[in-house]
Amino acid sequence: MEIFERLEALIDSPGAETVNEARSMLRQFEAVVTADAIHQFLLDLMTLVFVVDAAPQNYHAPVRKLVKVRLAMLKMLGEASA
């Protein structure tokens, strides 16, 4: 699905508007994917944006991996619901 590719691109290069962009993309899936999974993904994405802004480079990869795992969970839930 195109939305997941766009979300993964946001994870790879987070910026100031990353969370807002992700939130607007995920609105279309609220009925399909459980709200809890969406909130977990957004919380981890916010953590990634904070770490990229505030922490040394060596902390970026583990947090990025966590966000990608949450995105994979969203993909599976979305495919199961479709």
Side-chain angles (χ1 to χ4, degrees):
M1 295 178 146
E2 181 184 324
I3 187 170
F4 295 114
E5 293 169 3
R6 291 178 20 209
L7 287 168
E8 190 155 351
L10 288 176
I11 294 168
D12 290 335
S13 57
E17 290 298 314
T18 298
V19 175
N20 290 332
E21 291 176 41
R23 188 175 285 131
S24 68
M25 282 187 254
L26 289 169
R27 280 195 183 107
Q28 64 184 310
F29 279 100
E30 277 191 275
V32 177
V33 180
T34 64
D36 186 49
I38 290 173
H39 293 302
Q40 289 176 8
F41 171 76
L42 289 173
L43 181 61
D44 289 340
L45 187 59
M46 287 183 233
T47 303
L48 174 63
V49 171
F50 172 77
V51 168
V52 166
D53 286 344
Q57 184 78 21
N58 57 336
Y59 291 102
H60 298 189
V63 179
R64 186 171 278 119
K65 183 176 180 180
L66 174 65
V67 178
K68 287 188 178 190
V69 167
R70 296 283 191 196
L71 180 60
M73 289 172 54
L74 280 175
K75 278 184 190 178
M76 287 188 294
L77 287 171
E79 290 169 359
S81 304

